[in-house]
Amino acid sequence: MSERYLEDYAVGQTFGSGRARVDKEHIIAFAAEFDPQPFHLDEVLAADTFFRGLAASGWHTAAMTMRLLVDGELKPAGGIVGTGFDEFRWSPPRSPR
């Protein structure tokens, strides 16, 4: 198969990726190094926040997404460097039901 560039792909095409397991130890380790907020670090403190428990950092989620993307089926020529994001937001937490 010849190399394909981003402009060679069509809107609506889908590509698979692997899976990522997220556990308490990974959430805390990532947060301790990169996003040390209480709701990412301490289950007891996190219980009294709007998350009502330990929550993975949005940056952790973004990093895992990048890993899945790089390891996934989409393999454009030259990699995915420079594709960027026009908008990068996390939805506000919802009230517990």
Side-chain angles (χ1 to χ4, degrees):
M1 181 176 188
S2 64
E3 289 189 327
R4 294 176 70 191
Y5 295 86
L6 290 177
E7 60 269 18
D8 297 324
Y9 295 94
V11 172
Q13 281 185 278
T14 60
F15 301 89
S17 72
R19 297 172 70 135
R21 178 175 290 282
V22 184
D23 59 29
K24 177 174 64 173
E25 290 76 20
H26 286 108
I27 290 171
I28 293 170
F30 184 94
E33 188 167 357
F34 300 109
D35 192 355
Q37 298 184 74
F39 40 82
H40 301 320
L41 291 169
D42 186 302
E43 286 184 282
V44 174
L45 294 175
D48 290 331
T49 69
F50 43 77
F51 291 112
R52 304 272 190 225
L54 194 65
S57 166
W59 296 111
H60 188 184
T61 303
M64 289 184 293
T65 299
M66 186 66 192
R67 182 59 190 235
L68 291 170
L69 182 58
V70 169
D71 291 344
E73 294 173 353
L74 177 64
K75 300 289 186 195
I80 56 171
V81 65
T83 54
F85 292 96
D86 291 332
E87 191 172 309
F88 197 63
R89 298 180 189 274
W90 291 278
S91 300
R94 294 187 228 187
S95 298
R97 294 179 185 190

